[in-house]
């Protein structure tokens, strides 16, 4: 029983130590330097190189497949319609 | 003879139907996305490049990418131990007498010592010396902004030192945790614009975690800014600009070349552009779930910058920060960075909450989000995500280790911390660690136009469909109509006799 309790206690203590509060705003003599460096690291225009996803863009790239299919089907239907319309009804063969 | 049996009439009708169908198809085609053509007119910064304050810092996606991969320099234990030693010396050297105002260096040394102790995990001592500093300042009738660093540091130390105990049910620790939150709020009141609004998000984070002590399941419903975790988010429909058409109209005229906005007038001209930033947080049910704190939607760059600041300048990696960055980046369409944030969050799951079920469900959520992102990427790109992430994280962590080791060696060699050339040798040996900004930081503005040519396939399809339907309809009608006698006179009348056939001949 005792080893089990010891193990449990160790586990709980370990977990408690592992979970930190979200550390945040510390004001010391180093802060201004760090913030200045932070700003110049990222706002310096000379530093550009691909990072992250593609640029925000508004131009959707047109695909060729769908328009071609639409045109093809449309033309086929037109031809079909013309053929059906042009054909006269043939009289039934005489008995 | 029936009208429908006349070939010319039928062809005219079919032609009219084709014309009508074509017209309808063309009208629909003009409105379809395929017919919308955009003519590039240039690349512009994004609206979140305009800072909240003139001269303030504005977000870059590279900043988020870098904290997730630890691509920044961090002081090590040796640095804080040495600085604490020097701070104690400075405090002891300060001449003290009743009513005498201490030097600014004296109070700065107390802040340094407190922060150093906090970094070394000695929060109780840090709280003790900051309480003492506050008493001294109040005795000297310090007010307002003069008390800013004391409020901010004391509040932070109280939060750090008491959170774990408060979560385990210690009522006194819970009281001190809330005292800490109230002190940071006071710091914001006396100096609202400090550190690009980071403290606001520190309070939001602390209040969220405080609420989770009573209701841990809130951690599976929302991130710390109030983004719902159970909602589906389609990253391909998301972007960092919430109205791209309007932005495309305004961007060329309002955005200046100076992205730092040091000039107040330039910033005033540009600040309305911040209205185009995609907003996040405080989603459905958040207000009722939290009962306090941040309860309105905000431009996504504000919590992002706050979290980046807390990560870099505070306690470093944290699953709650990684999760919030993932949710925010997902909502602005930054799929790669969001994927990395979930990966980092899942790897930090052991520190999410001391509850196995919550940790497992948290990890499962991160994996689900990653799957959604991967579904929106090319298969070959999805396969490279994890190896890339691991290589980047390894690079960042090795850099931080090297930085800390360098500091320890220099300190051991007797180099004073305030030597302006302290880090020179390190920077000569290492490339700059911050990632350069990439194409995701620009907006490719374009002028929208309608291409009539691109509407033609719709017109052809419409014409064909309607013509075909009409032709079939006419055919049916013709079949039902009685066959008209032929005009030539060569009619073959049927007789009553079975099988009889008579030919009328001249």
């Amino acid at each position: 029983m005792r080893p089990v309790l010891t193990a449990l206690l160790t586990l709980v203590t370990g977990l408690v130590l592992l979970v930190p509060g979200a550390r945040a705003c510390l004001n010391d003599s180093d802060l201004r330097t760090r913030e200045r460096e932070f700003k110049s690291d990222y706002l310096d225009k000379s530093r550009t190189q691909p990072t992250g996803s593609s640029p925000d863009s508004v131009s959707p790239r047109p695909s060729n497949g769908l328009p071609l299919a639409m045109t093809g089907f449309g033309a086929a239907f037109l031809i079909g319609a013309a053929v059906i319309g042009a054909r006269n009804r043939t009289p039934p063969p005489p008995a | 003879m029936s009208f429908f049996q006349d070939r010319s009439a039928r062809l005219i009708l079919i032609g009219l139907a084709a014309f009508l169908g074509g017209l309808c198809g063309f009208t629909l085609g003009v409105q379809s996305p395929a017919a919308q053509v955009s003519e590039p007119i240039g690349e512009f910064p994004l609206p979140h490049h305009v800072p909240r304050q003139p001269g303030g810092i504005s977000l870059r996606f590279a900043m988020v990418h870098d904290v997730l991969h630890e691509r920044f320099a961090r002081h090590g234990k040796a640095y804080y131990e040495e600085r604490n030693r020097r701070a104690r010396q400075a405090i002891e050297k300060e001449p003290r007498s009743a009513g005498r105002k201490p030097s600014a260096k004296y109070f700065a040394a107390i802040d340094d010592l407190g922060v150093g102790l906090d970094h070394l995990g000695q929060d109780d001592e840090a709280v003790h010396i900051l309480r003492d500093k506050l008493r001294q300042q109040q005795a000297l009738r310090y007010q307002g902004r003069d008390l800013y660093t004391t409020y901010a540091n004391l509040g932070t130390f109280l939060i750090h030192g008491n959170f774990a105990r408060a979560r385990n049910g210690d009522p006194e620790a819970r009281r001190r945790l809330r005292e800490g939150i109230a002190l940071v709020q006071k710091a914001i009141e006396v100096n609202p614009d400090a550190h690009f609004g980071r403290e606001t998000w520190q309070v939001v984070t602390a209040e969220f975690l405080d609420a989770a002590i009573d209701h841990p399941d809130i951690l599976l419903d929302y991130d710390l800014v109030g983004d719902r975790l159970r909602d589906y988010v389609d990253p391909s429909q998301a972007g960092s600009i919430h109205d791209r058409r309007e932005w495309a109209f305004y961007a060329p005229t309002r955005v200046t070349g100076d992205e730092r906005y040091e000039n107040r007038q330039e910033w005033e001209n540009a600040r309305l552009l911040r209205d185009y930033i995609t907003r996040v947080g405080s989603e459905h049910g958040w207000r009722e779930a939290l009962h306090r704190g941040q309860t309105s939607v905000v431009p996504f760059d504000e919590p992002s910058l706050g979290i980046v600041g807390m990560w870099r300048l505070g306690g470093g990696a944290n699953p709650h920060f990684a999760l919030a960055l993932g949710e925010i980046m997902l909502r602005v369409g930054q799929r790669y960075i969001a994927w990395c944030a979930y990966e980092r969050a899942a790897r930090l799951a052991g520190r999410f909450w001391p509850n196995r079920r919550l940790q497992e469900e948290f990890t499962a959520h991160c994996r689900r989000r990653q799957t959604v992102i991967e579904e929106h990427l090319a298969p070959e790109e999805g396969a490279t995500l994890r190896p890339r992430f691991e290589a980047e994280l390894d690079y960042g962590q090795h850099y931080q280790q090297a930085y800390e080791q360098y500091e320890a060696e220099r300190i051991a060699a007797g180099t004073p911390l305030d030597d302006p050339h302290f880090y020179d040798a390190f920077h000569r040996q290492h490339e700059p660690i911050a990632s350069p900004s990439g194409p995701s930081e620009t907006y490719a503005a374009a002028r929208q136009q309608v291409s009539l040519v691109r509407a033609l396939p719709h017109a052809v399809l419409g014409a064909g469909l309607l013509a075909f339907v009409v032709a079939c309809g006419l055919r049916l009608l013709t079949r039902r109509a009685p066959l008209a006698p032929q005009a030539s006179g060569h009619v073959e009348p049927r007789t009553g006799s079975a099988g009889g056939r008579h030919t009328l001949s001249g």
Side-chain angles (χ1 to χ4, degrees):
Chain A
M1 189 66 183
R2 201 172 164 182
V4 177
L5 281 174
T6 315
L8 268 175
L9 189 67
T10 315
L11 180 70
V12 169
T13 314
L15 282 173
V16 166
L17 288 174
L18 273 173
V19 183
R23 288 169 179 260
C25 294
L26 300 165
N27 288 270
D28 61 5
S29 54
D30 196 36
L31 189 64
R32 279 184 190 281
T33 316
R34 293 266 152 180
E35 285 186 350
R36 200 171 47 242
E37 284 171 3
F38 178 49
K39 206 169 171 179
S40 69
D41 277 351
Y42 294 101
L43 302 192
D44 186 347
K45 281 195 163 182
S46 61
R47 295 163 53 77
T48 51
Q49 184 188 305
T51 306
S53 311
S54 56
D56 274 23
S57 165
V58 287
S59 314
R61 228 176 130 185
S63 118
N64 285 332
L66 190 63
L68 271 177
M70 287 166 81
T71 313
F73 277 113
F77 278 128
L78 271 175
I79 293 166
V83 169
I84 292 170
R87 276 178 65 196
N88 266 331
R89 183 181 163 192
T90 50
Chain B
M1 183 177 147
S2 154
F3 174 77
F4 301 120
Q5 284 171 349
D6 182 353
R7 179 188 293 171
S8 309
R10 283 201 310 270
L11 285 175
I12 288 171
L13 272 180
I14 291 169
L16 278 173
F19 177 75
L20 199 66
L23 207 62
C24 292
F26 187 76
T27 311
L28 287 174
V30 164
Q31 290 167 12
S32 74
Q36 311 298 318
V37 182
S38 53
E39 181 197 338
I41 51 175
E43 291 198 345
F44 298 95
L46 297 169
H48 65 263
H49 288 194
V50 180
R52 276 186 67 216
Q53 300 113 19
I57 194 157
S58 54
L59 182 76
R60 298 294 180 278
F61 291 121
M63 295 172 180
V64 181
H65 170 271
D66 284 358
V67 291
L68 292 169
H69 298 94
E70 302 295 335
R71 290 185 62 144
F72 58 94
R74 282 184 70 84
H75 291 312
K77 191 178 167 201
Y79 174 89
Y80 287 112
E81 284 175 344
E82 173 62 8
R83 202 179 70 175
N84 284 0
R85 188 186 67 76
R86 290 164 58 90
R88 285 185 203 277
Q89 278 180 354
I91 293 165
E92 282 166 18
K93 274 185 195 166
E94 182 74 17
R96 295 188 201 186
S97 58
R100 184 182 179 280
K101 194 176 175 182
S103 67
K105 274 189 178 177
Y106 168 73
F107 284 133
I110 294 179
D111 281 327
D112 277 0
L113 179 58
V115 171
L117 290 168
D118 181 78
H119 272 289
L120 297 171
Q122 297 163 29
D123 293 297
D124 287 345
E125 192 184 346
V127 167
H128 177 74
I129 65 160
L130 260 291
R131 282 200 194 280
D132 189 47
K133 180 190 171 197
L134 183 60
R135 269 193 296 273
Q136 290 182 55
Q137 288 180 317
Q138 285 170 336
L140 291 164
R141 300 190 182 284
Y142 276 42
Q143 280 183 337
R145 197 174 274 218
D146 291 337
L147 293 173
Y148 163 70
T149 62
T150 312
Y151 286 149
N153 283 337
L154 178 56
T156 304
F157 303 157
L158 281 165
I159 294 168
H160 290 174
N162 291 285
F163 178 70
R165 279 177 274 176
R167 193 185 45 218
N168 290 340
D170 180 344
E172 181 55 25
R174 189 77 182 272
R175 190 192 63 73
R176 287 195 295 266
L177 171 68
R178 289 181 172 168
E179 182 195 354
I181 295 173
L183 280 165
V184 180
Q185 281 171 328
K186 260 188 172 177
I188 297 169
E189 280 169 27
V190 298
N191 192 7
D193 297 334
H195 314 309
F196 43 93
R198 196 167 74 237
E199 272 141 359
T200 306
W201 296 101
Q202 185 191 0
V203 170
V204 169
T205 307
E207 286 189 326
F208 175 65
L209 294 176
D210 183 41
I213 292 173
D214 297 324
H215 307 287
D217 277 355
I218 196 178
L219 298 167
L220 300 176
D221 292 331
Y222 298 96
D223 67 6
L224 61 90
V225 299
D227 294 316
R228 282 176 69 87
L229 305 185
R230 298 185 196 275
D231 286 356
Y232 176 79
V233 180
D234 181 352
S236 63
Q237 298 299 313
S240 62
I241 308 170
H242 77 75
D243 189 334
R244 290 176 171 209
R245 276 175 188 252
E246 271 198 37
W247 174 252
F249 180 73
Y250 279 117
T253 55
R254 295 276 184 108
V255 174
T256 67
D258 176 19
E259 285 188 42
R260 287 176 175 253
Y261 292 96
E262 307 279 3
N263 180 309
R264 188 166 188 101
Q265 191 55 49
E266 273 191 10
W267 178 80
E268 287 285 352
N269 290 340
R271 81 189 164 97
L272 285 178
L273 297 176
R274 287 187 56 78
D275 291 346
Y276 292 94
I277 302 173
T278 299
R279 285 162 192 267
V280 297
S282 198
E283 291 180 350
H284 178 67
W286 169 250
R287 210 174 282 220
E288 295 75 26
L290 197 67
H291 302 299
R292 60 196 140 143
Q294 178 67 32
T295 52
S296 59
V297 291
V298 287
F300 84 89
D301 62 324
E302 293 180 15
S304 304
L305 262 180
I307 293 168
V308 166
M310 288 190 278
W311 191 318
R312 289 177 68 110
L313 304 168
N318 181 298
H320 302 285
F321 290 161
L323 173 67
L325 289 176
E327 294 294 324
I328 295 169
M329 290 299 115
L330 190 66
R331 283 161 174 77
V332 297
Q334 287 294 319
R335 291 170 289 188
Y336 170 65
I337 300 178
W339 191 96
C340 293
Y342 291 119
E343 183 66 19
R344 194 73 207 277
R347 289 174 187 226
L348 293 165
R351 295 164 59 185
F352 182 64
W353 205 256
N355 175 313
R356 181 63 63 90
R357 178 184 66 84
L358 291 178
Q359 289 174 11
E360 286 173 358
E361 289 190 32
F362 169 70
T363 308
H365 168 76
C366 294
R367 298 304 181 208
R368 275 195 300 274
R369 290 290 207 216
Q370 285 181 309
T371 306
V372 169
I373 294 169
E374 285 164 23
E375 283 166 0
H376 288 87
L377 297 171
E380 62 274 14
E381 200 179 350
T384 63
L385 288 171
R386 191 158 279 112
R388 266 174 76 187
F389 172 83
E390 282 168 353
E392 282 267 332
L393 182 60
D394 193 52
Y395 179 69
Q397 287 175 332
H398 273 97
Y399 180 91
Q400 289 185 343
Q401 283 166 9
Y403 191 82
E404 291 178 15
Q405 193 180 339
Y406 173 85
E407 282 180 335
E409 286 167 4
R410 295 285 285 174
I411 290 164
T415 313
L417 292 181
D418 51 7
D419 180 346
H421 303 292
F422 188 93
Y423 292 102
D424 284 1
F426 182 83
H427 292 309
R428 272 199 300 275
Q429 291 161 8
H430 295 82
E431 292 280 306
I433 189 70
S435 300
S437 294
S440 60
E441 305 289 357
T442 54
Y443 172 73
R447 190 175 292 118
Q448 291 289 336
Q449 286 174 333
V450 175
S451 163
L452 299 182
V453 175
R454 286 195 188 177
L456 282 180
H458 290 78
V460 175
L461 185 63
L465 272 176
L466 198 61
F468 191 76
V469 169
V470 169
C472 291
L474 287 176
R475 183 81 186 160
L476 276 175
L477 288 171
T478 317
R479 273 192 185 173
R480 284 182 191 161
L483 201 62
Q486 289 187 2
S488 63
H490 296 283
V491 180
E492 295 173 353
R494 289 165 192 247
T495 65
S497 59
R501 189 175 174 188
H502 304 272
T503 305
L504 296 177
S505 58

